[in-house]
Amino acid sequence: MSILDIFTYPDEFLRHPTQDIDNIDGNLQELIDDMAQTMYLAPGIGLAAIQVGIDKSLLIFDVAPTDEQRDLHVLINPEIVEKDGNVLSENEGCLSVPDFRASVKRAERVLVNAYNREGKPIRMEADGLLAIVLQHEIDHLNGTLFIDHISALKRELYKRRIKKQLRHGGTAD
Ligand code: NI
């Protein structure tokens, strides 16, 4: 297993729409294991393949409390088929948008169809944190970042901060 590099904003690769996966082979299993190791080390609770440079429709997540046993879930070709309600996710963050958190308007409940890593069709009905994580990660598969959902002003302030950091050779000030 290896730790993968996580692409960060403003890398344009994160804007790529992803391709559906039609072959669940050994390479894919290896990618899933590497993604899991990368996510746990970061640490994060969700990671989409596009964030590690693979433009495929694949995401992983683990929303188990950190003091409990790990509970890794893998979704291949996930699709939100129903959503309802409105909720403001508090303090949403992303491994590809470092050092920034914001509240984001999300659906309260989602119904997601996908395949698991064994290629079995699965259906997830989610609310609470899980519903937010699913929407966030499925957004990644469509080239969308959570900062696309916040106010233009907040997004502009974040962009400026990142540009400044890049000018200063990656160091925060
Ligand atoms: Ni993210």
Side-chain angles (χ1 to χ4, degrees), residues 1-4 23-39 47 49 52 54 56 58 60 72 74 76 117:
M1 280 202 281
S2 40
I3 303 298
L4 306 169
N23 189 17
I24 300 176
D25 58 11
N27 287 337
L28 192 78
Q29 301 296 345
E30 204 175 312
L31 171 63
I32 291 166
D33 290 339
D34 288 348
M35 281 173 62
Q37 205 183 16
T38 304
M39 178 182 77
L47 188 67
V52 293
I54 309 289
K56 289 195 175 147
L58 165 68
I60 63 170
L72 182 70
V74 176
I76 294 170
R117 69 187 296 176

Side-chain angles (χ1 to χ4, degrees), residues 18-21 24 28-29 31-33 35-36 39 45-50 54 56-63 71-81 110-126 130-141:
T18 54
Q19 307 285 320
D20 271 358
I21 291 170
I24 300 176
L28 192 78
Q29 301 296 345
L31 171 63
I32 291 166
D33 290 339
M35 281 173 62
M39 178 182 77
I45 57 174
L47 188 67
I50 192 80
I54 309 289
K56 289 195 175 147
S57 185
L58 165 68
L59 65 87
I60 63 170
F61 63 88
D62 184 342
V63 293
D71 185 25
L72 182 70
H73 289 263
V74 176
L75 298 188
I76 294 170
N77 303 344
E79 202 186 337
I80 294 174
V81 289
V110 291
L111 182 63
V112 172
N113 283 348
Y115 294 88
N116 67 11
R117 69 187 296 176
E118 283 82 41
K120 205 175 121 200
I122 48 173
R123 169 168 281 212
M124 299 192 81
E125 228 183 294
L130 180 56
I132 289 160
V133 169
L134 286 172
Q135 290 168 84
H136 178 115
E137 300 307 329
I138 291 171
D139 265 359
H140 274 301
L141 302 180

Side-chain angles (χ1 to χ4, degrees), residues 46-48 51 93-97 136-137 140 144-146:
L47 188 67
Q51 294 178 273
C94 178
L95 295 175
S96 292
V97 185
H136 178 115
E137 300 307 329
H140 274 301
T144 301
L145 298 173
F146 83 98

